[in-house]
Amino acid sequence: MMVSEEQELIDKQFMKRAFELAQQAETIDEIPVGAVVVANNKIISEGYNQSITLNDPSAHAEMVAIRQAGKKLQNYRLLDCTLYVTLEPCPMCAGLLVHSRIKRVVYATKDLKTGAAGSAFNLLCDEKHNHQIQLNSGIMAEECSQLLSAFFKRRRAEKKALKQAAKLAVK
């Protein structure tokens, strides 16, 4: 979807906040994904990944933000809202977004393994649904992708170090 320069500036402003939330997730050793829901050019809810912290596989950034938005609006339909998220939504979150009737999703970086907004799947715009979501992607893609890559690189190094320590302890 093509957007105006003005809309692109607005999108970048809200994606910056989602990125800050992703960084917050990283500080608690969660996968660094952040999300905000916007209505009338104002943030009405925020979320970041908390699956590990809450022992809840559904506590993705999008899920947290959408749940808060519904409570704030006192409506399960988010008809005129936009979700900004640092990583392409997974199938679980895509289903939530379709059911919420959110108007628009802006995501930063693609998830080639489980992305459900056009990368691995395209659940958000499937013509079988009675609601299609407007999509825009690539806003702050490099920054968000680097944050995720650095996080997983660090996690792999930590796991390798633990394995090596365990081997040494056995000897």
Side-chain angles (χ1 to χ4, degrees), residues 19-111:
F19 183 73
E20 291 169 359
L21 292 164
Q23 291 173 311
Q24 192 172 338
E26 185 179 35
T27 66
I28 60 170
D29 213 24
E30 292 278 358
I31 296 172
V33 178
V36 297
V37 176
V38 172
N40 300 317
N41 283 329
K42 291 183 181 160
I43 294 174
I44 62 168
S45 65
E46 301 181 334
Y48 54 86
N49 276 6
Q50 298 176 61
S51 295
I52 298 165
T53 305
L54 299 176
N55 296 308
D56 179 355
S58 73
H60 289 193
E62 304 95 308
M63 192 74 72
V64 172
I66 292 292
R67 285 176 178 153
Q68 285 179 11
K71 287 179 182 175
K72 175 134 189 181
L73 296 176
Q74 296 186 340
N75 194 337
Y76 71 107
R77 301 282 196 211
L78 305 178
L79 300 173
D80 293 316
C81 295
T82 298
L83 173 78
Y84 293 87
V85 61
T86 57
L87 180 65
E88 180 180 1
C90 71
M92 174 183 70
C93 293
L96 170 73
L97 294 166
V98 170
H99 287 292
S100 76
R101 303 294 194 265
I102 200 155
K103 183 177 184 177
R104 188 167 172 254
V105 171
V106 178
Y107 68 89
T109 191
K110 294 179 182 213
D111 181 346

Side-chain angles (χ1 to χ4, degrees), residues 2 9 15 42 103 109 119 126-127 158:
M2 293 295 296
L9 289 173
M15 189 61 76
K42 291 183 181 160
K103 183 177 184 177
T109 191
S119 292
D126 192 307
E127 60 191 34
E158 288 169 355

